[in-house]
Amino acid sequence: MPLHMTKIAFGAKSYADLAGWYEGRRAIALTTRYCPKRHEELVGGSLYWILNHQLVARSRILGFSETADGRWNIDLEPKLIRVHPRPKRAHQGWRYLKGEPPRDLAEGEDIGDTLPGKLAAKLEKLALI
Protein backbone atom coordinates (compact mmCIF):
# COMPACT_ATOMS: atom_id res chain seq x y z
CA MET A 1 0.00 0.00 0.00
CA PRO A 2 1.56 3.33 -1.03
CA LEU A 3 2.17 6.17 1.37
CA HIS A 4 0.44 9.53 0.89
CA MET A 5 1.32 13.11 1.81
CA THR A 6 -0.54 16.38 2.45
CA LYS A 7 0.24 19.95 1.49
CA ILE A 8 -1.60 23.25 1.90
CA ALA A 9 -2.83 24.83 -1.33
CA PHE A 10 -1.15 28.10 -0.32
CA GLY A 11 -2.49 31.03 -2.30
CA ALA A 12 -5.65 29.24 -3.45
CA LYS A 13 -8.82 30.89 -2.14
CA SER A 14 -11.17 28.25 -3.58
CA TYR A 15 -11.21 24.88 -5.29
CA ALA A 16 -11.48 26.73 -8.62
CA ASP A 17 -8.13 28.44 -7.88
CA LEU A 18 -6.52 25.08 -7.12
CA ALA A 19 -7.98 23.53 -10.28
CA GLY A 20 -6.65 26.51 -12.25
CA TRP A 21 -3.10 25.52 -11.30
CA TYR A 22 -3.61 22.31 -13.29
CA GLU A 23 -5.33 23.68 -16.39
CA GLY A 24 -3.36 23.16 -19.58
CA ARG A 25 -0.30 21.72 -17.84
CA ARG A 26 1.45 18.57 -19.00
CA ALA A 27 3.48 18.26 -15.81
CA ILE A 28 3.25 19.51 -12.24
CA ALA A 29 6.34 19.74 -10.05
CA LEU A 30 6.33 21.10 -6.49
CA THR A 31 9.71 22.16 -5.17
CA THR A 32 10.73 21.27 -1.63
CA ARG A 33 13.95 21.78 0.27
CA TYR A 34 14.53 18.15 1.23
CA CYS A 35 13.68 14.80 -0.28
CA PRO A 36 11.34 12.82 1.99
CA LYS A 37 13.10 9.95 3.75
CA ARG A 38 10.31 7.61 2.66
CA HIS A 39 10.18 8.91 -0.94
CA GLU A 40 10.25 5.41 -2.45
CA GLU A 41 7.04 4.53 -0.58
CA LEU A 42 5.36 7.74 -1.79
CA VAL A 43 5.73 6.93 -5.51
CA GLY A 44 2.31 5.69 -6.63
CA GLY A 45 0.65 7.33 -3.63
CA SER A 46 -1.04 10.72 -3.73
CA LEU A 47 -0.47 14.26 -2.58
CA TYR A 48 -3.66 15.47 -0.86
CA TRP A 49 -4.34 19.20 -1.03
CA ILE A 50 -5.54 21.09 2.06
CA LEU A 51 -7.85 24.02 1.36
CA ASN A 52 -9.70 25.90 4.11
CA HIS A 53 -8.69 23.28 6.71
CA GLN A 54 -10.01 20.36 4.67
CA LEU A 55 -8.52 17.72 2.40
CA VAL A 56 -10.32 18.46 -0.89
CA ALA A 57 -8.38 16.91 -3.78
CA ARG A 58 -5.43 14.74 -4.68
CA SER A 59 -2.87 14.13 -7.41
CA ARG A 60 -0.89 10.94 -7.90
CA ILE A 61 2.83 11.17 -7.09
CA LEU A 62 4.92 10.06 -10.08
CA GLY A 63 8.34 10.46 -8.50
CA PHE A 64 10.99 12.79 -7.14
CA SER A 65 13.78 14.59 -9.00
CA GLU A 66 16.64 16.74 -7.79
CA THR A 67 16.98 20.28 -9.14
CA ALA A 68 20.20 22.01 -10.16
CA ASP A 69 20.26 24.00 -6.89
CA GLY A 70 20.00 20.89 -4.67
CA ARG A 71 16.29 21.11 -3.95
CA TRP A 72 13.80 18.39 -4.84
CA ASN A 73 10.75 18.32 -7.08
CA ILE A 74 7.69 16.28 -6.21
CA ASP A 75 6.53 15.23 -9.68
CA LEU A 76 2.74 14.94 -9.85
CA GLU A 77 0.30 13.63 -12.40
CA PRO A 78 -1.31 16.75 -13.95
CA LYS A 79 -4.78 15.52 -12.96
CA LEU A 80 -6.67 16.80 -9.94
CA ILE A 81 -9.12 14.34 -8.35
CA ARG A 82 -11.74 15.62 -5.90
CA VAL A 83 -12.15 13.70 -2.66
CA HIS A 84 -14.73 13.72 0.12
CA PRO A 85 -13.72 16.68 2.30
CA ARG A 86 -12.08 15.71 5.56
CA PRO A 87 -10.96 18.14 8.30
CA LYS A 88 -7.20 18.64 8.42
CA ARG A 89 -5.16 21.08 10.48
CA ALA A 90 -2.87 23.47 8.67
CA HIS A 91 0.89 22.85 8.66
CA GLN A 92 3.97 24.14 6.92
CA GLY A 93 5.48 22.26 4.01
CA TRP A 94 4.27 18.71 3.48
CA ARG A 95 3.44 15.89 5.90
CA TYR A 96 2.79 12.18 5.59
CA LEU A 97 -0.94 11.38 5.65
CA LYS A 98 -1.82 9.22 8.65
CA GLY A 99 -4.70 6.80 8.56
CA GLU A 100 -7.04 5.99 5.69
CA PRO A 101 -7.13 8.56 2.90
CA PRO A 102 -10.50 10.08 2.00
CA ARG A 103 -12.29 8.38 -0.86
CA ASP A 104 -12.56 9.93 -4.29
CA LEU A 105 -15.80 11.53 -5.37
CA ALA A 106 -17.56 9.52 -8.05
CA GLU A 107 -18.22 11.13 -11.43
CA GLY A 108 -21.14 13.53 -10.96
CA GLU A 109 -21.30 12.94 -7.19
CA ASP A 110 -22.28 16.05 -5.25
CA ILE A 111 -20.68 16.69 -1.88
CA GLY A 112 -23.59 18.91 -0.88
CA ASP A 113 -23.18 21.43 1.89
CA THR A 114 -20.01 20.65 3.79
CA LEU A 115 -19.07 22.14 7.11
CA PRO A 116 -16.05 24.44 7.27
CA GLY A 117 -12.93 22.51 8.22
CA LYS A 118 -12.41 24.04 11.68
CA LEU A 119 -16.04 23.53 12.68
CA ALA A 120 -16.09 19.95 11.38
CA ALA A 121 -12.89 19.17 13.31
CA LYS A 122 -14.37 20.53 16.56
CA LEU A 123 -17.60 18.57 16.11
CA GLU A 124 -15.64 15.41 15.31
CA LYS A 125 -13.52 15.90 18.44
CA LEU A 126 -16.75 16.11 20.47
CA ALA A 127 -17.96 12.91 18.73
CA LEU A 128 -20.94 14.76 17.27
CA ILE A 129 -20.15 13.81 13.67
Side-chain angles (χ1 to χ4, degrees), residues 72-121:
W72 288 85
N73 283 333
I74 304 170
D75 302 314
L76 301 175
E77 181 177 45
K79 179 180 176 187
L80 192 61
I81 302 165
R82 287 196 84 153
V83 298
H84 276 273
R86 180 192 293 171
K88 183 71 175 156
R89 287 184 28 200
H91 56 72
Q92 289 186 339
W94 56 265
R95 297 286 184 271
Y96 297 115
L97 178 65
K98 295 177 182 167
E100 273 301 304
R103 75 173 180 85
D104 296 348
L105 287 177
E107 189 70 33
E109 185 177 0
D110 184 20
I111 58 172
D113 295 328
T114 59
L115 294 171
K118 286 183 179 179
L119 177 59

Short mmCIF file of all heavy atoms in Angstrom, two decimals, residues 72-121:
data_model
loop_
_atom_site.label_atom_id
_atom_site.label_comp_id
_atom_site.label_asym_id
_atom_site.label_seq_id
_atom_site.Cartn_x
_atom_site.Cartn_y
_atom_site.Cartn_z
N TRP A 72 14.46 19.56 -4.27
CA TRP A 72 13.80 18.39 -4.84
C TRP A 72 12.43 18.76 -5.38
O TRP A 72 11.72 19.57 -4.80
CB TRP A 72 13.64 17.30 -3.78
CG TRP A 72 14.95 16.67 -3.45
CD1 TRP A 72 15.87 17.10 -2.56
CD2 TRP A 72 15.48 15.50 -4.06
NE1 TRP A 72 16.96 16.27 -2.57
CE2 TRP A 72 16.74 15.28 -3.49
CE3 TRP A 72 15.03 14.62 -5.03
CZ2 TRP A 72 17.55 14.21 -3.84
CZ3 TRP A 72 15.82 13.55 -5.39
CH2 TRP A 72 17.08 13.36 -4.80
N ASN A 73 12.08 18.17 -6.51
CA ASN A 73 10.75 18.32 -7.08
C ASN A 73 9.92 17.10 -6.73
O ASN A 73 10.40 15.96 -6.81
CB ASN A 73 10.79 18.44 -8.61
CG ASN A 73 11.22 19.81 -9.07
OD1 ASN A 73 11.05 20.80 -8.37
ND2 ASN A 73 11.79 19.87 -10.25
N ILE A 74 8.67 17.34 -6.35
CA ILE A 74 7.69 16.28 -6.21
C ILE A 74 6.94 16.29 -7.53
O ILE A 74 6.23 17.25 -7.83
CB ILE A 74 6.72 16.53 -5.04
CG1 ILE A 74 7.50 16.72 -3.73
CG2 ILE A 74 5.71 15.39 -4.93
CD1 ILE A 74 6.64 17.21 -2.58
N ASP A 75 7.15 15.28 -8.35
CA ASP A 75 6.53 15.23 -9.68
C ASP A 75 5.14 14.60 -9.56
O ASP A 75 5.01 13.47 -9.08
CB ASP A 75 7.41 14.41 -10.64
CG ASP A 75 8.81 15.00 -10.74
OD1 ASP A 75 8.92 16.23 -10.90
OD2 ASP A 75 9.78 14.23 -10.66
N LEU A 76 4.13 15.37 -9.98
CA LEU A 76 2.74 14.94 -9.85
C LEU A 76 2.10 14.71 -11.20
O LEU A 76 2.46 15.36 -12.19
CB LEU A 76 1.92 16.02 -9.12
CG LEU A 76 2.36 16.41 -7.72
CD1 LEU A 76 1.52 17.57 -7.21
CD2 LEU A 76 2.26 15.22 -6.79
N GLU A 77 1.13 13.82 -11.21
CA GLU A 77 0.30 13.63 -12.40
C GLU A 77 -0.52 14.92 -12.56
O GLU A 77 -1.09 15.41 -11.59
CB GLU A 77 -0.61 12.42 -12.18
CG GLU A 77 -1.49 12.11 -13.35
CD GLU A 77 -2.32 10.85 -13.09
OE1 GLU A 77 -2.87 10.72 -11.99
OE2 GLU A 77 -2.39 10.02 -14.01
N PRO A 78 -0.60 15.47 -13.77
CA PRO A 78 -1.31 16.75 -13.95
C PRO A 78 -2.83 16.57 -13.98
O PRO A 78 -3.52 17.12 -14.83
CB PRO A 78 -0.77 17.27 -15.27
CG PRO A 78 -0.38 16.06 -16.02
CD PRO A 78 0.07 15.06 -15.00
N LYS A 79 -3.34 15.79 -13.06
CA LYS A 79 -4.78 15.52 -12.96
C LYS A 79 -5.19 15.70 -11.50
O LYS A 79 -4.58 15.10 -10.61
CB LYS A 79 -5.08 14.09 -13.43
CG LYS A 79 -6.53 13.71 -13.35
CD LYS A 79 -6.70 12.28 -13.84
CE LYS A 79 -8.16 11.86 -13.67
NZ LYS A 79 -8.33 10.44 -13.96
N LEU A 80 -6.18 16.53 -11.27
CA LEU A 80 -6.67 16.80 -9.94
C LEU A 80 -7.95 16.00 -9.71
O LEU A 80 -8.89 16.08 -10.50
CB LEU A 80 -6.95 18.30 -9.79
CG LEU A 80 -7.20 18.83 -8.40
CD1 LEU A 80 -5.97 18.61 -7.52
CD2 LEU A 80 -7.50 20.32 -8.47
N ILE A 81 -7.99 15.20 -8.65
CA ILE A 81 -9.12 14.34 -8.35
C ILE A 81 -9.76 14.82 -7.05
O ILE A 81 -9.09 14.86 -6.01
CB ILE A 81 -8.67 12.87 -8.21
CG1 ILE A 81 -7.99 12.40 -9.49
CG2 ILE A 81 -9.85 11.97 -7.83
CD1 ILE A 81 -7.21 11.12 -9.34
N ARG A 82 -11.04 15.17 -7.10
CA ARG A 82 -11.74 15.62 -5.90
C ARG A 82 -11.98 14.43 -4.97
O ARG A 82 -12.22 13.31 -5.42
CB ARG A 82 -13.07 16.25 -6.26
CG ARG A 82 -12.89 17.62 -6.90
CD ARG A 82 -14.15 18.37 -6.89
NE ARG A 82 -14.25 19.03 -5.59
CZ ARG A 82 -14.92 20.15 -5.38
NH1 ARG A 82 -15.57 20.72 -6.35
NH2 ARG A 82 -14.98 20.68 -4.19
N VAL A 83 -11.89 14.72 -3.68
CA VAL A 83 -12.15 13.70 -2.66
C VAL A 83 -13.21 14.22 -1.69
O VAL A 83 -13.49 15.42 -1.66
CB VAL A 83 -10.86 13.32 -1.88
CG1 VAL A 83 -9.81 12.73 -2.81
CG2 VAL A 83 -10.30 14.50 -1.12
N HIS A 84 -13.79 13.30 -0.91
CA HIS A 84 -14.73 13.72 0.12
C HIS A 84 -13.96 14.59 1.11
O HIS A 84 -12.92 14.17 1.61
CB HIS A 84 -15.34 12.52 0.84
CG HIS A 84 -16.49 11.95 0.11
ND1 HIS A 84 -17.77 12.41 0.28
CD2 HIS A 84 -16.57 11.00 -0.84
CE1 HIS A 84 -18.58 11.76 -0.50
NE2 HIS A 84 -17.88 10.88 -1.20
N PRO A 85 -14.44 15.79 1.38
CA PRO A 85 -13.72 16.68 2.30
C PRO A 85 -13.56 16.04 3.67
O PRO A 85 -14.46 15.38 4.18
CB PRO A 85 -14.62 17.91 2.39
CG PRO A 85 -15.48 17.86 1.17
CD PRO A 85 -15.65 16.41 0.85
N ARG A 86 -12.37 16.22 4.23
CA ARG A 86 -12.08 15.71 5.56
C ARG A 86 -11.31 16.80 6.31
O ARG A 86 -10.37 17.38 5.75
CB ARG A 86 -11.22 14.46 5.49
CG ARG A 86 -10.91 13.95 6.89
CD ARG A 86 -9.87 12.90 6.94
NE ARG A 86 -10.30 11.66 6.30
CZ ARG A 86 -9.48 10.66 6.07
NH1 ARG A 86 -8.22 10.74 6.41
NH2 ARG A 86 -9.92 9.58 5.49
N PRO A 87 -11.68 17.11 7.55
CA PRO A 87 -10.96 18.14 8.30
C PRO A 87 -9.48 17.80 8.42
O PRO A 87 -9.10 16.65 8.62
CB PRO A 87 -11.62 18.12 9.68
CG PRO A 87 -12.95 17.47 9.47
CD PRO A 87 -12.77 16.53 8.32
N LYS A 88 -8.65 18.82 8.30
CA LYS A 88 -7.20 18.64 8.42
C LYS A 88 -6.59 19.95 8.89
O LYS A 88 -6.83 21.00 8.30
CB LYS A 88 -6.61 18.23 7.06
CG LYS A 88 -5.14 17.95 7.09
CD LYS A 88 -4.85 16.65 7.82
CE LYS A 88 -3.38 16.35 7.73
NZ LYS A 88 -2.93 15.50 8.77
N ARG A 89 -5.82 19.88 9.96
CA ARG A 89 -5.16 21.08 10.48
C ARG A 89 -4.10 21.57 9.49
O ARG A 89 -3.49 20.80 8.77
CB ARG A 89 -4.48 20.78 11.80
CG ARG A 89 -5.47 20.61 12.92
CD ARG A 89 -4.84 20.40 14.27
NE ARG A 89 -3.53 21.01 14.38
CZ ARG A 89 -2.64 20.68 15.28
NH1 ARG A 89 -2.90 19.72 16.12
NH2 ARG A 89 -1.47 21.28 15.34
N ALA A 90 -3.90 22.86 9.53
CA ALA A 90 -2.87 23.47 8.67
C ALA A 90 -1.48 23.11 9.19
O ALA A 90 -1.29 22.84 10.38
CB ALA A 90 -3.05 24.98 8.66
N HIS A 91 -0.51 23.10 8.31
CA HIS A 91 0.89 22.85 8.66
C HIS A 91 1.77 23.49 7.61
O HIS A 91 1.30 23.86 6.54
CB HIS A 91 1.17 21.35 8.79
CG HIS A 91 0.83 20.55 7.56
ND1 HIS A 91 1.57 20.61 6.39
CD2 HIS A 91 -0.19 19.69 7.31
CE1 HIS A 91 1.02 19.81 5.49
NE2 HIS A 91 -0.04 19.24 6.02
N GLN A 92 3.03 23.61 7.90
CA GLN A 92 3.97 24.14 6.92
C GLN A 92 4.56 23.00 6.12
O GLN A 92 4.75 21.90 6.63
CB GLN A 92 5.09 24.92 7.61
CG GLN A 92 4.63 26.21 8.20
CD GLN A 92 5.81 27.01 8.76
OE1 GLN A 92 6.87 26.47 9.05
NE2 GLN A 92 5.61 28.29 8.90
N GLY A 93 4.86 23.27 4.86
CA GLY A 93 5.48 22.26 4.01
C GLY A 93 4.54 21.10 3.76
O GLY A 93 3.34 21.28 3.61
N TRP A 94 5.08 19.91 3.71
CA TRP A 94 4.27 18.71 3.48
C TRP A 94 4.38 17.81 4.70
O TRP A 94 5.29 17.94 5.51
CB TRP A 94 4.74 17.97 2.22
CG TRP A 94 6.20 17.61 2.25
CD1 TRP A 94 7.22 18.33 1.70
CD2 TRP A 94 6.80 16.50 2.90
NE1 TRP A 94 8.42 17.72 1.98
CE2 TRP A 94 8.19 16.58 2.70
CE3 TRP A 94 6.30 15.43 3.62
CZ2 TRP A 94 9.07 15.65 3.21
CZ3 TRP A 94 7.19 14.49 4.13
CH2 TRP A 94 8.56 14.61 3.91
N ARG A 95 3.43 16.89 4.83
CA ARG A 95 3.44 15.89 5.90
C ARG A 95 2.94 14.58 5.33
O ARG A 95 2.18 14.55 4.38
CB ARG A 95 2.49 16.29 7.05
CG ARG A 95 2.85 17.58 7.78
CD ARG A 95 4.06 17.38 8.68
NE ARG A 95 4.35 18.57 9.44
CZ ARG A 95 5.14 19.55 9.04
NH1 ARG A 95 5.70 19.50 7.86
NH2 ARG A 95 5.38 20.58 9.81
N TYR A 96 3.34 13.48 5.96
CA TYR A 96 2.79 12.18 5.59
C TYR A 96 1.33 12.14 6.06
O TYR A 96 1.01 12.63 7.15
CB TYR A 96 3.57 11.04 6.24
CG TYR A 96 5.02 10.95 5.80
CD1 TYR A 96 6.05 11.17 6.69
CD2 TYR A 96 5.35 10.65 4.48
CE1 TYR A 96 7.37 11.09 6.29
CE2 TYR A 96 6.66 10.56 4.07
CZ TYR A 96 7.67 10.78 4.98
OH TYR A 96 8.98 10.70 4.58
N LEU A 97 0.46 11.53 5.28
CA LEU A 97 -0.94 11.38 5.65
C LEU A 97 -1.07 10.15 6.53
O LEU A 97 -0.66 9.06 6.14
CB LEU A 97 -1.83 11.23 4.41
CG LEU A 97 -3.31 11.03 4.66
CD1 LEU A 97 -3.92 12.26 5.33
CD2 LEU A 97 -4.04 10.72 3.37
N LYS A 98 -1.63 10.33 7.71
CA LYS A 98 -1.82 9.22 8.65
C LYS A 98 -3.23 8.69 8.50
O LYS A 98 -4.18 9.44 8.30
CB LYS A 98 -1.57 9.68 10.08
CG LYS A 98 -0.14 10.10 10.32
CD LYS A 98 0.08 10.62 11.71
CE LYS A 98 1.52 11.07 11.86
NZ LYS A 98 1.73 11.85 13.06
N GLY A 99 -3.38 7.41 8.63
CA GLY A 99 -4.70 6.80 8.56
C GLY A 99 -5.17 6.60 7.12
O GLY A 99 -4.41 6.76 6.17
N GLU A 100 -6.43 6.23 7.00
CA GLU A 100 -7.04 5.99 5.69
C GLU A 100 -7.21 7.31 4.94
O GLU A 100 -7.68 8.28 5.52
CB GLU A 100 -8.42 5.36 5.85
CG GLU A 100 -8.45 3.87 5.96
CD GLU A 100 -7.86 3.15 4.77
OE1 GLU A 100 -8.29 3.36 3.62
OE2 GLU A 100 -6.95 2.35 5.00
N PRO A 101 -6.88 7.33 3.67
CA PRO A 101 -7.13 8.56 2.90
C PRO A 101 -8.62 8.69 2.59
O PRO A 101 -9.36 7.69 2.58
CB PRO A 101 -6.33 8.34 1.62
CG PRO A 101 -6.20 6.86 1.49
CD PRO A 101 -6.20 6.31 2.89
N PRO A 102 -9.09 9.92 2.37
CA PRO A 102 -10.50 10.08 2.00
C PRO A 102 -10.76 9.47 0.63
O PRO A 102 -9.87 9.43 -0.22
CB PRO A 102 -10.70 11.60 1.98
CG PRO A 102 -9.34 12.18 1.86
CD PRO A 102 -8.38 11.19 2.42
N ARG A 103 -11.98 9.01 0.42
CA ARG A 103 -12.29 8.38 -0.86
C ARG A 103 -12.56 9.43 -1.93
O ARG A 103 -12.98 10.55 -1.63
CB ARG A 103 -13.43 7.39 -0.72
CG ARG A 103 -14.80 7.97 -0.57
CD ARG A 103 -15.86 6.86 -0.60
NE ARG A 103 -17.19 7.40 -0.47
CZ ARG A 103 -17.91 7.86 -1.48
NH1 ARG A 103 -17.44 7.85 -2.70
NH2 ARG A 103 -19.13 8.34 -1.28
N ASP A 104 -12.32 9.04 -3.16
CA ASP A 104 -12.56 9.93 -4.29
C ASP A 104 -14.06 10.13 -4.48
O ASP A 104 -14.85 9.24 -4.19
CB ASP A 104 -11.99 9.33 -5.58
CG ASP A 104 -10.49 9.18 -5.55
OD1 ASP A 104 -9.83 9.73 -4.64
OD2 ASP A 104 -9.95 8.51 -6.45
N LEU A 105 -14.41 11.30 -4.99
CA LEU A 105 -15.80 11.53 -5.37
C LEU A 105 -16.05 10.83 -6.69
O LEU A 105 -15.24 10.90 -7.60
CB LEU A 105 -16.08 13.03 -5.54
CG LEU A 105 -16.15 13.88 -4.29
CD1 LEU A 105 -16.38 15.34 -4.65
CD2 LEU A 105 -17.25 13.40 -3.37
N ALA A 106 -17.18 10.18 -6.80
CA ALA A 106 -17.56 9.52 -8.05
C ALA A 106 -17.94 10.58 -9.08
O ALA A 106 -18.29 11.71 -8.72
CB ALA A 106 -18.73 8.57 -7.81
N GLU A 107 -17.86 10.22 -10.34
CA GLU A 107 -18.22 11.13 -11.43
C GLU A 107 -19.64 11.63 -11.21
O GLU A 107 -20.57 10.83 -11.07
CB GLU A 107 -18.11 10.41 -12.77
CG GLU A 107 -18.25 11.32 -13.97
CD GLU A 107 -17.06 12.26 -14.15
OE1 GLU A 107 -15.93 11.86 -13.81
OE2 GLU A 107 -17.27 13.38 -14.62
N GLY A 108 -19.83 12.93 -11.13
CA GLY A 108 -21.14 13.53 -10.96
C GLY A 108 -21.65 13.53 -9.52
O GLY A 108 -22.73 14.02 -9.25
N GLU A 109 -20.88 12.98 -8.59
CA GLU A 109 -21.30 12.94 -7.19
C GLU A 109 -21.20 14.34 -6.59
O GLU A 109 -20.22 15.04 -6.79
CB GLU A 109 -20.43 11.97 -6.39
CG GLU A 109 -20.86 11.80 -4.97
CD GLU A 109 -20.01 10.78 -4.22
OE1 GLU A 109 -19.07 10.22 -4.81
OE2 GLU A 109 -20.28 10.56 -3.04
N ASP A 110 -22.23 14.73 -5.87
CA ASP A 110 -22.28 16.05 -5.25
C ASP A 110 -21.93 15.91 -3.78
O ASP A 110 -22.47 15.04 -3.09
CB ASP A 110 -23.68 16.65 -5.41
CG ASP A 110 -23.78 18.07 -4.88
OD1 ASP A 110 -22.73 18.73 -4.74
OD2 ASP A 110 -24.90 18.52 -4.61
N ILE A 111 -21.04 16.76 -3.29
CA ILE A 111 -20.68 16.69 -1.88
C ILE A 111 -21.65 17.45 -1.01
O ILE A 111 -21.59 17.37 0.20
CB ILE A 111 -19.23 17.18 -1.64
CG1 ILE A 111 -19.04 18.61 -2.12
CG2 ILE A 111 -18.23 16.25 -2.23
CD1 ILE A 111 -17.72 19.23 -1.75
N GLY A 112 -22.58 18.18 -1.63
CA GLY A 112 -23.59 18.91 -0.88
C GLY A 112 -22.97 20.00 -0.03
O GLY A 112 -21.88 20.48 -0.29
N ASP A 113 -23.68 20.40 0.98
CA ASP A 113 -23.18 21.43 1.89
C ASP A 113 -22.23 20.78 2.88
O ASP A 113 -22.63 19.91 3.66
CB ASP A 113 -24.33 22.09 2.64
CG ASP A 113 -25.25 22.86 1.72
OD1 ASP A 113 -24.75 23.38 0.71
OD2 ASP A 113 -26.46 22.93 2.00
N THR A 114 -20.98 21.19 2.85
CA THR A 114 -20.01 20.65 3.79
C THR A 114 -19.71 21.70 4.85
O THR A 114 -19.75 22.90 4.59
CB THR A 114 -18.70 20.24 3.10
OG1 THR A 114 -18.15 21.38 2.46
CG2 THR A 114 -18.94 19.13 2.09
N LEU A 115 -19.42 21.24 6.03
CA LEU A 115 -19.07 22.14 7.11
C LEU A 115 -17.67 22.70 6.89
O LEU A 115 -16.81 22.00 6.36
CB LEU A 115 -19.10 21.40 8.45
CG LEU A 115 -20.45 20.88 8.91
CD1 LEU A 115 -20.26 19.98 10.12
CD2 LEU A 115 -21.36 22.04 9.25
N PRO A 116 -17.42 23.92 7.32
CA PRO A 116 -16.05 24.44 7.27
C PRO A 116 -15.12 23.53 8.07
O PRO A 116 -15.55 22.93 9.07
CB PRO A 116 -16.17 25.83 7.92
CG PRO A 116 -17.62 26.19 7.79
CD PRO A 116 -18.37 24.89 7.83
N GLY A 117 -13.88 23.44 7.63
CA GLY A 117 -12.93 22.51 8.22
C GLY A 117 -12.76 22.63 9.72
O GLY A 117 -12.74 21.64 10.45
N LYS A 118 -12.61 23.86 10.24
CA LYS A 118 -12.41 24.04 11.68
C LYS A 118 -13.62 23.58 12.47
O LYS A 118 -13.50 22.93 13.50
CB LYS A 118 -12.11 25.51 11.99
CG LYS A 118 -10.72 25.95 11.58
CD LYS A 118 -10.49 27.39 11.98
CE LYS A 118 -9.11 27.85 11.61
NZ LYS A 118 -8.85 29.24 11.97
N LEU A 119 -14.82 23.92 11.98
CA LEU A 119 -16.04 23.53 12.68
C LEU A 119 -16.20 22.01 12.65
O LEU A 119 -16.53 21.39 13.67
CB LEU A 119 -17.25 24.21 12.05
CG LEU A 119 -18.62 23.84 12.63
CD1 LEU A 119 -18.68 24.16 14.12
CD2 LEU A 119 -19.72 24.55 11.87
N ALA A 120 -15.97 21.40 11.49
CA ALA A 120 -16.09 19.95 11.38
C ALA A 120 -15.11 19.24 12.32
O ALA A 120 -15.46 18.24 12.94
CB ALA A 120 -15.86 19.52 9.94
N ALA A 121 -13.89 19.77 12.43
CA ALA A 121 -12.89 19.17 13.31
C ALA A 121 -13.33 19.24 14.78
O ALA A 121 -13.17 18.28 15.53
CB ALA A 121 -11.54 19.85 13.12
#
